[in-house]
Amino acid sequence: MLPLALFALLCVVGMVLLIRQVILPWIRFLLLRRTGVRLAAEVVDNDAQPLGPGKGAVLRPVVRYRVDGIRHTGTLENLVSNRGMELGRAIDILIDPTRPAEPWAAEEGTPPLGAYWYPIMVLVGIAGVWVSVARIR
């Protein structure tokens, strides 16, 4: 019975992560492409975000742009890399007019970290539940 519960938990966690980290941001990006404002921005920094103890870090570009004459600076929500972007580079961004401090890369977005592992978690969880139920019968 314990393996059944563990595989079910793995499946549920994989589904929650898949929805929260991949599907919802993807839907938000599609909505921004439709209703957002496209602007030109300049890369001014690369924000290092640690992955964990001893695992290094990923870099998210920080961009500067103007909305209605007001200068904003923000970290791109949908772009991560190991190398970052060169400073001074021009990039197209999308913003929601109600939240101008949250820019999204218009063309160069990357999937979130771990996005490829979430479907694998779900599939392993489903397979484990199926095998566990077959053994119980």
Side-chain angles (χ1 to χ4, degrees), residues 4 8 20 66 80 108 117:
L4 175 63
R20 187 165 182 253
R66 289 189 180 275
V80 295
E108 304 179 41
W117 291 106

Side-chain angles (χ1 to χ4, degrees), residues 88-136:
R89 179 178 172 190
I91 184 171
D92 285 341
I93 62 168
L94 295 168
I95 62 157
D96 182 349
T98 61
R99 292 194 247 177
E102 296 178 12
W104 290 62
E107 303 294 335
E108 304 179 41
T110 56
L113 297 174
Y116 302 113
W117 291 106
Y118 304 146
I120 293 172
M121 288 173 66
V122 172
L123 292 175
V124 168
I126 290 171
V129 167
W130 183 65
V131 168
S132 297
V133 168
R135 282 186 154 185
I136 292 173

Side-chain angles (χ1 to χ4, degrees), residues 44-64:
V44 294
D45 196 8
N46 288 295
D47 183 28
Q49 296 181 335
L51 293 173
K55 294 186 180 180
V58 294
L59 299 172
R60 287 189 181 273
V62 178
V63 294
R64 183 181 304 139

Side-chain angles (χ1 to χ4, degrees), residues 13-87:
V13 168
M15 285 297 289
V16 167
L17 289 172
L18 184 65
I19 291 168
R20 187 165 182 253
Q21 300 290 331
V22 179
I23 295 173
L24 290 178
W26 180 68
I27 290 171
R28 181 155 184 237
F29 178 68
L30 290 178
L31 289 173
L32 271 177
R33 287 188 72 141
R34 229 175 218 206
T35 62
V37 177
R38 189 179 191 112
L39 301 170
E42 176 187 1
V43 177
V44 294
D45 196 8
N46 288 295
D47 183 28
Q49 296 181 335
L51 293 173
K55 294 186 180 180
V58 294
L59 299 172
R60 287 189 181 273
V62 178
V63 294
R64 183 181 304 139
Y65 52 98
R66 289 189 180 275
V67 178
D68 297 329
I70 301 170
R71 186 169 34 172
H72 293 273
T73 302
T75 304
L76 291 176
E77 298 287 329
N78 64 331
L79 186 62
V80 295
S81 72
N82 293 329
R83 296 176 292 140
M85 294 182 85
E86 68 182 71
L87 302 182

